[in-house]
Amino acid sequence: MTLTDSEIEAFVRNGFVRVPGAVPEETALACRDELWRASGCQPDDPATWTRPVIRIASMSTPPFVAAARAQPLEEAYDQLVGPGGWQPTAGLGTFPLRFPSAEDPGDAGWHVEASLAGDEGEMRVSLRSRGRALLALFLFSEVGEDDAPTRVRVGSHLDVPSLLHGAGEAGREWMTLCQEAVPASAGRPVELVTGAPGDVYVCHPFLVHGAQPHRGSRPRFMAQPPVVPTGELDLGTAEPTPVARAVLAGLGSAGGVGKQG
Ligand SMILES: O=C(O)CCC(=O)C(=O)O
């Protein structure tokens, strides 16, 4: 298995676990090369890096399929969400590519990820995390402290469940939830998502995180796809998954919650 018991406990406590080399380096570098081509920029010509961030929606060519299906990750998902609790994907989505720039990228605020769409198409988040089992942060370039590593608030996933409790299956509108989750987690320590191509940070769906401007010299390439669940979190079972245990811990509840959440 990919994760040790103490790594699983750290995931429950901190809201994320790093899986070094989850994707083989040659696969991660093949992904990076494809992302360069998709960006329209040249790796060896900084004059072509004219924007602080370029977002690429999704990629499903063989290296991305291989990255999404990397065995250590699938094992980690089984350990955190439960076997059969998540859906395999044929590729990866949302790549924020960040380039050295004095310009504000305009998208570096703290937030939790949205999980589901409401009746009006608006983005929402629910206590049982309908639509999102996990957030995965895949590194496709070397990322040091100056290279716009994603910032994560350690333990902030524990601050979110009480904001969702009582909101029912439809949960809450994403932006208004973030407006409360961000101040609620402001005192949490911050860690940076640094590492090597092929490292993946597997995060709790409620982890508060944010981008930042790139102050270094090497562009930062990553993906931040959801891991999509097959159902909703079971918070009433005698054996909750690690993701559900963290939600219960956030609620201060050892014995589970009622069916409506
Ligand atoms: O680019 C990053 O470091 C994180 C981006 C992010 O959190 C987002 O776009 O939702």
Side-chain angles (χ1 to χ4, degrees), residues 55 96 98 107 111 113 148-150 209-212 220 222 224:
R55 284 182 178 265
R98 296 193 185 274
D107 64 352
H111 60 285
E113 291 299 324
T150 308
H209 63 283
Q212 59 176 318
R220 190 223 60 183
M222 71 175 289
Q224 45 145 28

Side-chain angles (χ1 to χ4, degrees), residues 3-18 79-81 134 153-161 188 202-207 240-251 253:
L3 303 177
T4 62
D5 288 349
S6 68
E7 283 174 318
I8 292 173
E9 291 318 303
F11 171 88
V12 173
R13 199 171 51 248
N14 299 331
F16 63 94
V17 60
R18 178 181 174 196
Q79 289 177 282
L80 299 174
V81 178
L134 293 164
R153 285 183 173 167
V154 182
S156 55
H157 63 309
L158 302 172
D159 300 323
V160 176
R188 298 280 183 182
V202 181
C203 305
H204 193 280
F206 298 160
L207 188 70
T241 62
V243 171
R245 279 171 51 209
V247 172
L248 292 167
L251 292 173
S253 154

Side-chain angles (χ1 to χ4, degrees), residues 110 153 156 159 180-190 208:
W110 291 106
R153 285 183 173 167
S156 55
D159 300 323
E180 292 178 26
V182 173
S185 59
R188 298 280 183 182
V190 174
V208 178

